[in-house]
Amino acid sequence: MSHAVNTPAEKVNLLDFDRQGLRDFFAQLGEKPYRAEQVMKWIYHRLESDFEKMTDVGKALREKLTASCYVGPPKTVFEKGAVDGTHKWLLGMDGGNAIETVYIPEPTRGTLCVSSQVGCALNCQFCSTATQGFSRNLSTAEIIGQVWVAAKHLGNVPHQQRRITNVVMMGMGEPLLNFDNVVKAMSLMRDDLGFGLASKRVTLSTAGLVPMIDRLSAESDVSLAVSLHAANDELRTELVPLNKRYPLAELMGACERYIQRVPRTSITFEYTLMKGVNDQPEHARQLIKFMRRLPGANKVNLIPFNPFPGARFERSGQDDIRAFQTQLLNAGVLTMLRRTRGDDIDAACGQLKGQVVDRTRRQAEFRKKLAEGVVNAA
């Protein structure tokens, strides 16, 4: 199990347990299950990490907990606010790694974008995280700990003062490649004794791991977002290499099964618009055809490409973006245009970097290409 920086390795991090796990752990300590729920409320409702301050927990139990456990969210290395109210945290991990978490406030909601891995192994061509390669999966504590850190900073009180109304697993990493820890963390986000969010307000975004989408529909009822970015196999394989293993027909099948198995859910398809790459009328027609083959309430989220150093793509022009959206809307496809938020602090979609000690050698390859001028510096 991975531990956040500066935490006692021999002690148990209570953020690693969902409700049932915590009840089982307390049973091992010889305590009644309701005691676990008392402590859980202190951790997630009052955001308290000091057992001594948990006043309705008996002194003997507090001493027992202090001796064998801790509440260890990741340490904040750096944080920064953007002009538009977006806030980014750089959170320290072990071995010189760090991840990023972003809060995006809007008039009717507050969305927290959470990371699932240190780096990412999928190598999507238009994403800054991918250029850094991959180090490891995050533990449950490191995933839910991101929500804990943000909630504490924002003064979030579950069921009362909700600053965080939505969580999206869209930060660094592919969540379905860290399935167990992500599902456990999402269960804490939705638990009444945790952050108490409705299932539809927790969204997992995937590049399209077909078998794991099926597994997710059997084990969870969160909202699903699919990083699509192209509706023809040749172009999508170039942009999202995973498409070679799970092409569009298979992805579509998994999406159909998800809608059937998880009632009252819709799937959002994310589509990053890149100038001259996937933003032409023919690409819109392909996307319309793809959406028509999927029954149920589904929508497209258009994301203008967010540049990063060394990116070989450019953001589509405003006229092309509007024309693309209009073409979809005229065909009856529910289409939203995501406003770019936090790009002045590199917190926009596809820009999250953190610090990754790369195990895939991708960072070295990227830098070499940059030095040779193969990749156009932005």
Side-chain angles (χ1 to χ4, degrees), residues 47 85 87 89 103-105 111-112 147-157 161 163-164:
L47 302 166
H87 200 92
W89 291 266
Y103 176 68
I104 305 150
T111 302
L112 190 70
V147 188
W148 198 94
V149 166
K152 185 111 172 161
H153 176 97
L154 297 164
N156 186 72
V157 183
Q161 186 184 335
R163 298 292 306 282
I164 299 170

Side-chain angles (χ1 to χ4, degrees), residues 3 8-17 25 68-71:
H3 291 278
E10 68 285 355
K11 290 188 177 184
V12 174
N13 190 348
L14 295 189
L15 294 181
D16 264 321
F17 296 116
F25 177 70
S68 60
C69 333
Y70 66 103
V71 176

Side-chain angles (χ1 to χ4, degrees), residues 103-112 147 154 156 160-168 189 195-203:
Y103 176 68
I104 305 150
E106 290 171 276
T108 56
R109 62 165 70 184
T111 302
L112 190 70
V147 188
L154 297 164
N156 186 72
Q160 290 171 43
Q161 186 184 335
R162 286 188 189 278
R163 298 292 306 282
I164 299 170
T165 62
N166 295 65
V167 173
V168 292
M189 293 168 199
F195 289 105
L197 298 175
S199 287
K200 67 177 183 183
R201 290 185 175 271
V202 176
T203 302

Side-chain angles (χ1 to χ4, degrees), residues 291-302:
M291 296 300 288
R292 282 198 177 135
R293 288 169 60 189
L294 273 174
N298 301 295
K299 68 175 182 186
V300 171
N301 210 341
L302 295 178

Side-chain angles (χ1 to χ4, degrees), residues 110-126:
T111 302
L112 190 70
C113 182
V114 169
S115 296
S116 56
Q117 297 179 312
V118 181
C120 185
L122 289 189
N123 205 18
C124 295
Q125 293 300 295
F126 48 88

Side-chain angles (χ1 to χ4, degrees), residues 14 26 35-43 54 57 65:
L14 295 189
F26 270 59
R35 289 288 185 202
E37 295 178 357
Q38 258 181 326
V39 169
M40 201 169 158
K41 268 189 191 170
W42 278 101
I43 294 172
M54 299 182 181
V57 176
L65 291 173

Side-chain angles (χ1 to χ4, degrees), residues 160-365:
Q160 290 171 43
Q161 186 184 335
R162 286 188 189 278
R163 298 292 306 282
I164 299 170
T165 62
N166 295 65
V167 173
V168 292
M169 297 298 307
M170 291 182 190
M172 297 169 66
E174 164 55 62
L176 292 182
L177 285 175
N178 186 12
F179 189 89
D180 293 337
N181 292 344
V182 165
V183 166
K184 213 193 290 185
M186 292 192 306
S187 133
L188 284 164
M189 293 168 199
R190 289 144 54 231
D191 196 308
D192 278 346
L193 297 182
F195 289 105
L197 298 175
S199 287
K200 67 177 183 183
R201 290 185 175 271
V202 176
T203 302
L204 181 144
S205 172
T206 177
L209 277 128
V210 167
M212 304 313 275
I213 292 172
D214 286 331
R215 192 174 157 201
L216 183 70
S217 68
E219 295 188 29
S220 187
D221 58 351
V222 295
S223 296
L224 186 67
V226 174
S227 289
L228 193 66
H229 314 299
N232 78 69
D233 275 316
E234 190 183 350
L235 179 56
R236 189 167 190 267
T237 299
E238 187 189 322
L239 297 173
V240 183
L242 183 70
N243 192 73
K244 195 168 185 179
R245 195 186 306 174
Y246 303 115
L248 287 167
E250 288 186 38
L251 179 59
M252 191 180 291
C255 291
E256 285 172 346
R257 292 189 293 276
Y258 198 89
I259 292 165
Q260 286 161 9
R261 287 185 194 154
V262 185
R264 300 180 303 281
T265 195
S266 64
I267 297 178
T268 302
F269 291 92
E270 295 158 326
Y271 195 101
T272 300
L273 287 162
M274 290 163 268
K275 188 176 181 177
V277 174
N278 65 351
D279 63 349
Q280 297 305 299
E282 69 196 84
H283 300 121
R285 283 193 294 276
Q286 290 164 359
L287 183 52
I288 290 161
K289 193 175 166 189
F290 178 89
M291 296 300 288
R292 282 198 177 135
R293 288 169 60 189
L294 273 174
N298 301 295
K299 68 175 182 186
V300 171
N301 210 341
L302 295 178
I303 307 162
F305 173 71
N306 294 306
F308 56 87
R312 62 185 175 98
F313 302 108
E314 292 173 50
R315 182 178 297 189
S316 300
Q318 264 328 102
D319 291 349
D320 286 341
I321 292 172
R322 292 286 169 207
F324 197 96
Q325 183 183 23
T326 303
Q327 199 174 335
L328 264 65
L329 289 170
N330 288 345
V333 177
L334 178 60
T335 311
M336 315 292 286
L337 179 60
R338 189 183 294 173
R339 211 151 51 90
T340 297
R341 301 291 303 269
D343 60 345
D344 55 327
I345 55 168
D346 289 339
C349 214
Q351 285 184 326
L352 300 193
K353 272 192 95 92
Q355 290 163 198
V356 180
V357 178
D358 182 23
R359 290 187 185 163
T360 59
R361 295 174 63 186
R362 197 172 305 134
Q363 201 166 11
E365 286 163 23

